[in-house]
Amino acid sequence: MNIIRILMLGDIVGHTGRAMFQKHIARLRAELGIDGVIVNGENSGSQGRGITAGIVKFFRHNGVDVVTTGNHIWQKKEIYAYLADSGHKDLIRPANFPSDCPGSGMTTFMCKGFEVGVINVQGRIFMREHLGCPFRAVESLLTYLHTKTRLILVDMHAEATSEKLAMAYFLDGKVSAVVGTHTHVQTADERILPGGTAYITDLGMAGSLNSMIGMKKEGIIRNLLTQMPERFVVDTSLPLSMTGVVIAIDVATGKALTIQRVAVLDNELHVEPEE
Ligand SMILES: [Fe+2]
Ligand SMILES: [Fe+2]
């Protein structure tokens, strides 16, 4: 049986998340027998905001095949031109943003000689943006993607568990995996659904463990107490954490065989606070 093993990591937050990723990816790859790597990079830029072409290059250099994103994709304007260039297949944004937005919500990459599709969509429940229906967006992309491959991974970037689970059941048997991102907290509900689709509500993140979504807690608490604007700062305090899943997929059927949570804790990696 031909099997591919894909590592999917949750939102990499700021320079702390990038340092954590860089330190551990090679070892994880070797230990877990990884064939392909997908990370969510919507917070990987400075201040945990957006992403730049240089950071996409950093991920690629460290073995990432595709970078997915989410609502924070637009925070650094310099990425717009990168997204708009159809020659760039390594960075995608949620497919259900208006079609006028630069970039695409779907891509493919080669993994052990097999073509693998990746789709990124964003949920609508408790999210600020007014987007098209994520379910219909995926459905429409799949009519095309299914002509090319059965190996398909979906990053459903959403706040509500119900919406992520609904997407997973909606796609069960049609894609290899539906994984959630955006909450930055790894859930413990990973499983293979009856139709053979791997699922987890959220992959989690790479960043400081005792932060709030990777940012220093003090500013967020002040914001909640006063309702006044606050500049959120990427936390660098130890320990650092990086979480995600490894999914093994049967190449012949596109069905997932296993999904396994991954969590790395690091008590030693010193990261300087950002200027
Ligand atoms: Fe995020
Ligand atoms: Fe997000």
Side-chain angles (χ1 to χ4, degrees):
M1 187 192 283
N2 262 324
I3 294 170
I4 55 166
R5 291 171 60 79
I6 309 283
L7 173 67
M8 300 186 79
L9 296 171
D11 306 36
I12 310 285
V13 183
H15 68 308
T16 307
R18 274 183 275 127
M20 191 61 187
F21 171 81
Q22 188 170 29
K23 177 175 172 184
H24 293 284
I25 187 62
R27 181 184 53 79
L28 273 185
R29 226 192 152 99
E31 279 179 13
L32 300 170
I34 300 302
D35 303 308
V37 180
I38 296 169
V39 301
N40 188 299
E42 71 152 2
N43 303 113
S44 58
S46 58
Q47 277 93 45
R49 297 165 64 85
I51 187 167
T52 63
I55 293 173
V56 177
K57 198 184 262 183
F58 158 82
F59 282 130
R60 296 284 286 160
H61 182 76
N62 284 283
V64 170
D65 295 286
V66 173
V67 180
T68 59
T69 58
N71 52 309
H72 290 287
I73 180 63
W74 312 116
Q75 286 183 315
K76 294 205 192 305
K77 290 210 172 72
E78 56 194 286
I79 201 62
Y80 294 10
Y82 190 91
L83 279 167
D85 185 336
S86 58
H88 295 148
K89 293 187 70 191
D90 47 15
L91 178 69
I92 55 176
R93 48 89 171 156
N96 49 332
F97 268 94
S99 55
D100 287 6
C101 297
S104 164
M106 175 187 67
T107 191
T108 62
F109 69 98
M110 295 306 290
C111 184
K112 275 170 82 175
F114 302 101
E115 188 165 32
V116 178
V118 185
I119 292 175
N120 196 184
V121 279
Q122 185 174 314
R124 297 190 290 189
I125 298 174
F126 307 134
M127 305 283 289
R128 204 170 292 160
E129 298 78 12
H130 297 274
L131 300 183
C133 176
F135 298 91
R136 296 303 177 201
V138 175
E139 196 172 46
S140 148
L141 292 174
L142 284 179
T143 56
Y144 166 75
L145 209 48
H146 275 157
T147 65
K148 305 183 74 158
T149 182
R150 299 302 296 187
L151 309 170
I152 299 168
L153 306 154
V154 177
D155 176 350
M156 169 69 165
H157 194 78
E159 187 75 47
T161 301
S162 59
E163 199 178 16
K164 298 190 216 189
L165 189 54
M167 180 62 80
Y169 286 132
F170 182 68
L171 297 178
D172 186 21
K174 300 191 178 87
V175 301
S176 310
V178 175
V179 300
T181 56
H182 178 69
T183 71
H184 295 204
V185 176
Q186 187 189 45
T187 56
D189 60 343
E190 79 283 6
R191 60 191 187 270
I192 310 287
L193 301 179
T197 297
Y199 173 70
I200 186 168
T201 297
D202 209 290
L203 294 175
M205 68 161 182
S208 171
L209 180 70
N210 293 313
S211 66
M212 291 179 77
I213 62 167
M215 313 304 272
K216 282 170 101 65
K217 51 192 166 298
E218 293 77 9
I220 297 184
I221 293 169
R222 252 192 325 270
N223 170 256
L224 289 169
L225 286 174
T226 64
Q227 297 300 309
M228 290 163 69
E230 203 43 71
R231 197 174 74 89
F232 298 144
V233 178
V234 174
D235 201 344
T236 57
S237 65
L238 294 174
L240 306 185
S241 153
M242 181 166 78
T243 60
V245 294
V246 180
I247 300 161
I249 306 164
D250 177 358
V251 170
T253 62
K255 291 189 189 304
L257 301 167
T258 58
I259 175 168
Q260 173 195 349
R261 257 181 294 145
V262 175
V264 181
L265 203 61
D266 190 315
N267 261 303
E268 288 164 2
L269 177 58
H270 183 72
V271 180
E272 288 291 331
E274 239 170 355
E275 295 294 295

